[in-house]
Amino acid sequence: MAGHGGTVYAGCSVFDGAGESSLPDQAIWVREGTVEQVGDRDAVLAAAEPEGVEVVDLGGGHVMPGLINMHVHLGLALPGPMGDAVARGGDADLVLLMAGAARRALHAGVTTARLVGESRYADFALRRSLERGEVVGPRLFTAGHALCCTGGHGHDSDALEADGADGFRRATREQLRAGADLIKVCISGGIAGEHEGIDTPQLTDEEMAAVIGTAHDWGRQVTAHAGPSSVIARAVELGVDGIEHGYQLTEQVCALMAERGVRYVPTITVSRCREFLELHQVPDWMIDRALSAAPEHWASLQRAIAAGVTIVMGSDTPPDAALDGTTATVREMELMAEAGMTPAQVLRSATSGAAEWLGAADRVGTLAPGAAADFLVLDADPAADVAALRTLHTVVQGGEPVRDDRGLLAGRGRR
């Protein structure tokens, strides 16, 4: 049991989510689920010991904030058996499926997730259950249903169909009424739509403006599923806040995104996940479309990096999915580094940078006084090489251990 003053985790190096490198000989004082103090081991212990703390030695581990995955579908319903299972099940089946996915994501190190399209408003029920502590999973920020035109991208899974400016205003307000933290709108085709191309424009300027204006009036941001630069440029000019996927970005549209402060979630694994797609028996047409998108998708990410676009990590492929010997979340981060981002840039894209976009920079994505005590323990230094995340063995969320492969935390916490 922790003392009344909380717990000090010592014997570790720390990457705090905001810096360029990890600092050695650090300690983290956690009390009532939040970070009380982090810094030099001796200084933290000197401050904490009079409070009656428990001290846990992390055995030289490397600590960083819990990951924030900014493009997640806990009820993912791709064409094939995955989609069939969701369609056949009732609402209770869907919530339980999503709860299982949430637990696996948390164990994979994702302590906060942004949901960008779920069906039947099950995400709000799950979020309430998580907040009450009835189930375990990431802290959730959710868009509710994505929005699309009639027959548009996602209409047969997680998107709500609308047409015309008035129709999209109403659909936006319906998500806000349900409690949406943001709005997701599909403005072009994508990989998972059989009767569309990635470059198919799907919304008029009036429809996009209706979504963006309504959401902004309510203090919410809008992120857009989008493939081609021609469509993305129109959305950026209209004031969209973020772009998901961006399969076909030109240098010119990257420069425009950088100038306007539009964030980019590349989801680079979705065009490199043959292993996952084949495992889940998606149709051949979808596998072919995903893999054929890969060269231009990769070039788009590199153009965005070169242009100075703010890039935020999101996998789209389920956070815990097996991919190239690790999870999709870790593989996403490795690919971002391979494309040209520094390890620190990649880590911030999945911690403090993501938290800033969520408007939660004081609560998650950092190890600083007052923030939630969400952190991971690794065997290697992620600030030197993001592949160190493959050595993850301990996950703590809100000061409660939720994964403890080495028994460092003596079996405390939730499972």
Side-chain angles (χ1 to χ4, degrees), residues 116-295:
V116 286
E118 303 291 353
S119 58
R120 304 181 222 167
Y121 300 98
D123 43 329
F124 299 104
L126 179 60
R127 185 174 67 183
R128 290 191 294 270
S129 187
L130 286 164
E131 290 171 349
R132 291 191 296 261
E134 296 163 345
V135 295
V136 297
R139 304 170 192 276
L140 297 185
F141 293 78
T142 185
H145 283 270
L147 309 181
C148 73
C149 66
T150 295
H153 185 78
H155 76 278
D156 51 353
S157 56
D158 56 39
L160 182 68
E161 292 175 300
D163 289 297
D166 287 343
F168 274 95
R169 285 190 192 95
R170 179 176 180 82
T172 301
R173 289 170 180 150
E174 287 174 347
Q175 306 319 299
L176 297 170
R177 179 180 62 192
D181 300 296
L182 70 147
I183 298 297
K184 156 86 171 295
V185 61
C186 300
I187 64 175
S188 81
I191 285 173
E194 183 174 7
H195 305 297
E196 63 188 35
I198 287 174
D199 59 354
T200 304
Q202 293 191 345
L203 264 69
T204 66
D205 284 4
E206 292 76 17
E207 290 169 331
M208 285 192 280
V211 174
I212 294 166
T214 302
H216 286 179
D217 284 347
W218 286 63
R220 306 298 198 278
Q221 296 197 351
V222 177
T223 199
H225 162 103
S229 278
S230 57
V231 173
I232 292 169
R234 290 164 47 210
V236 171
E237 293 286 1
L238 290 167
V240 78
D241 302 291
I243 296 296
E244 313 289 317
H245 312 304
Y247 298 114
Q248 301 167 359
L249 298 180
T250 62
E251 291 181 359
Q252 292 78 12
V253 82
C254 286
L256 180 63
M257 289 170 63
E259 176 189 340
R260 299 293 177 89
V262 176
R263 292 172 170 90
Y264 176 40
V265 185
T267 69
I268 197 68
T269 58
V270 299
S271 58
R272 286 165 170 73
C273 62
R274 178 191 288 272
E275 176 183 358
F276 172 79
L277 297 176
E278 290 181 345
L279 175 66
H280 291 282
Q281 302 174 51
V282 306
D284 288 342
W285 64 260
M286 183 177 168
I287 295 176
D288 292 343
R289 187 180 298 174
L291 300 182
S292 65

Side-chain angles (χ1 to χ4, degrees), residues 42-98:
D42 292 340
V44 172
L45 286 171
E49 283 179 338
E51 301 291 328
V53 299
E54 179 185 20
V55 179
V56 174
D57 186 347
L58 294 179
H62 297 266
V63 175
M64 65 170 289
L67 299 173
I68 303 174
N69 193 318
M70 293 285 279
H71 193 119
V72 175
H73 303 278
L74 292 175
L76 186 64
L78 295 178
M82 292 180 76
D84 293 344
V86 171
R88 287 196 305 267
D91 291 351
D93 297 288
L94 178 58
V95 173
L96 288 170
L97 180 151
M98 292 172 64

